[in-house]
């Protein structure tokens, strides 16, 4: 239905922006918005993608006035922070094999852990995961030197995802929760736009397509750990000032 609505609006947008919108661009706008913009609804989010992609094309000196899939991909990449090459990377056997092989060679002796994490990534790329959960949430156990942090680094590099790392040994006190989600009303920093959201809220807002590593989480205060429940249950984390960060395209380690 959303595709039919966009097709009905196509002439208006083509005339206004002086561009040509392909059938493939309309389908991509619907498919990609469903996959990567779960906080918005159809057909509005797909219409907004086409409109902004056409507006950007109109503002350039490019003689090619055709809006195709790549323009839609670039626009949703700009909005969500997800690299275009990640959208283009379809779940094929060659790519899966290549990614798994590279990570297993770098993180020796942890094949099972690598496979379990990547299985969730492929499920997400196929569009089969829950809309209200992160890509995956994993608890990695083992003594120092077994490759837990190295696995996080390898996944972020190989999948072109930002690595957001928190040393949880620095969050052993109850009040340290404010460093992650912001200071409560009445406390220093609440009205500061740079501090109010907290480190976790601000980082995830800037990089929703990320690997979030809570290193040495056993050393954190129990109240700090409660933040994870909201992320794993709802896919969002809310700061003390009401600002929400979308963790549904993140891998939680």
């Amino acid at each position: 239905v959303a595709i039919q609505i966009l097709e009905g609006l196509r002439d208006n947008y083509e005339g206004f922006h002086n561009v040509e919108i392909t059938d493939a661009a309309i389908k991509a706008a619907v498919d990609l918005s469903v996959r990567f913009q779960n906080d918005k609804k159809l057909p509005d989010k797909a219409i907004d993608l086409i409109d902004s992609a056409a507006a950007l094309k109109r503002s350039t000196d490019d003689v090619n006035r055709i809006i195709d899939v790549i323009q839609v991909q670039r626009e949703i990449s700009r909005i969500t922070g997800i690299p275009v090459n990640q959208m283009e990377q379809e779940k094929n056997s060659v790519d899966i094999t290549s990614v798994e092989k590279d990570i297993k060679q770098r993180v020796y002796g942890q094949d099972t852990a690598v496979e379990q994490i990547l299985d969730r990534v492929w499920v997400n790329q196929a569009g089969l995961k829950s809309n209200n959960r992160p890509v995956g949430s994993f608890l990695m156990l083992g003594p120092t030197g077994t490759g837990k942090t190295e696995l996080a680094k390898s996944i972020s590099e190989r999948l072109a995802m930002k690595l957001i790392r928190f040393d949880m040994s620095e969050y052993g006190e109850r009040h340290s929760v404010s460093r992650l989600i912001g200071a409560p009303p009445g406390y220093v920093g609440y009205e500061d736009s740079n501090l109010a959201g907290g480190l976790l809220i601000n980082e995830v807002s800037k990089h929703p397509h990320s690997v979030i590593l809570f290193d040495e989480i056993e050393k954190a205060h129990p109240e700090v750990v409660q933040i994870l429940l909201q992320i794993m249950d709802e896919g969002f984390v809310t700061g003390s000032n009401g600002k929400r960060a979308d963790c549904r395209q993140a891998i939680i380690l």
Side-chain angles (χ1 to χ4, degrees), residues 84-102:
V84 171
N85 63 348
Q86 187 72 18
M87 298 177 196
E88 296 173 337
Q89 189 180 48
E90 292 300 323
K91 180 177 170 291
N92 57 74
S93 57
V94 175
D95 187 63
I96 292 176
T97 303
S98 173
V99 171
E100 281 195 12
K101 181 179 178 181
D102 289 350

Side-chain angles (χ1 to χ4, degrees), residues 164-197:
I164 302 174
R165 179 181 177 272
F166 295 98
D167 183 352
M168 301 309 290
S169 64
E170 301 175 2
Y171 297 86
E173 301 296 330
R174 185 175 182 273
H175 62 78
S176 60
V177 68
S178 64
R179 294 177 57 196
L180 289 176
I181 63 172
Y187 284 75
V188 174
Y190 176 73
E191 296 181 353
D192 187 328
S193 60
N194 294 321
L195 300 176

Side-chain angles (χ1 to χ4, degrees), residues 3-172:
I3 291 177
Q4 294 174 344
I5 292 173
L6 262 69
E7 288 174 342
L9 296 172
R10 173 163 37 193
D11 289 345
N12 294 332
Y13 283 103
E14 287 181 334
F16 182 78
H17 293 292
N18 190 28
V19 296
E20 178 184 340
I21 302 171
T22 66
D23 291 341
I26 289 176
K27 186 176 186 304
V30 174
D31 292 344
L32 293 175
S33 63
V34 167
R35 188 170 166 190
F36 296 112
Q37 290 185 294
N38 294 321
D39 55 329
K40 297 182 179 180
K41 297 185 180 298
L42 285 174
D44 291 355
K45 58 185 178 181
I47 293 172
D48 289 344
L49 273 180
I50 290 293
D51 187 29
S52 54
L56 182 61
K57 174 68 76 172
R58 182 181 62 176
S59 66
T60 66
D61 295 328
D62 191 351
V63 294
N64 181 4
R65 311 300 293 177
I66 297 176
I67 303 297
D68 210 341
V69 175
I70 187 60
Q71 281 77 36
V72 177
Q73 289 177 334
R74 288 171 180 167
E75 187 58 26
I76 201 166
S77 175
R78 182 188 66 79
I79 295 170
T80 64
I82 300 171
V84 171
N85 63 348
Q86 187 72 18
M87 298 177 196
E88 296 173 337
Q89 189 180 48
E90 292 300 323
K91 180 177 170 291
N92 57 74
S93 57
V94 175
D95 187 63
I96 292 176
T97 303
S98 173
V99 171
E100 281 195 12
K101 181 179 178 181
D102 289 350
I103 296 178
K104 286 177 179 178
Q105 286 178 341
R106 183 168 170 178
V107 185
Y108 183 74
Q110 301 295 338
D111 291 4
T112 300
V114 173
E115 291 167 2
Q116 289 181 348
I117 293 175
L118 291 181
D119 278 349
R120 296 304 308 166
V121 174
W122 309 140
V123 167
N124 177 65
Q125 287 193 358
L128 300 177
K129 83 171 185 70
S130 169
N131 288 336
N132 299 317
R133 297 284 193 280
V135 173
S137 302
F138 304 90
L139 179 62
M140 299 190 293
L141 305 175
T144 300
T146 51
K148 300 185 296 296
T149 302
E150 188 63 29
L151 177 55
K153 292 178 180 177
S154 300
I155 291 171
S156 69
E157 291 175 10
R158 194 60 180 82
L159 298 178
M161 302 174 76
K162 169 76 173 179
L163 177 62
I164 302 174
R165 179 181 177 272
F166 295 98
D167 183 352
M168 301 309 290
S169 64
E170 301 175 2
Y171 297 86

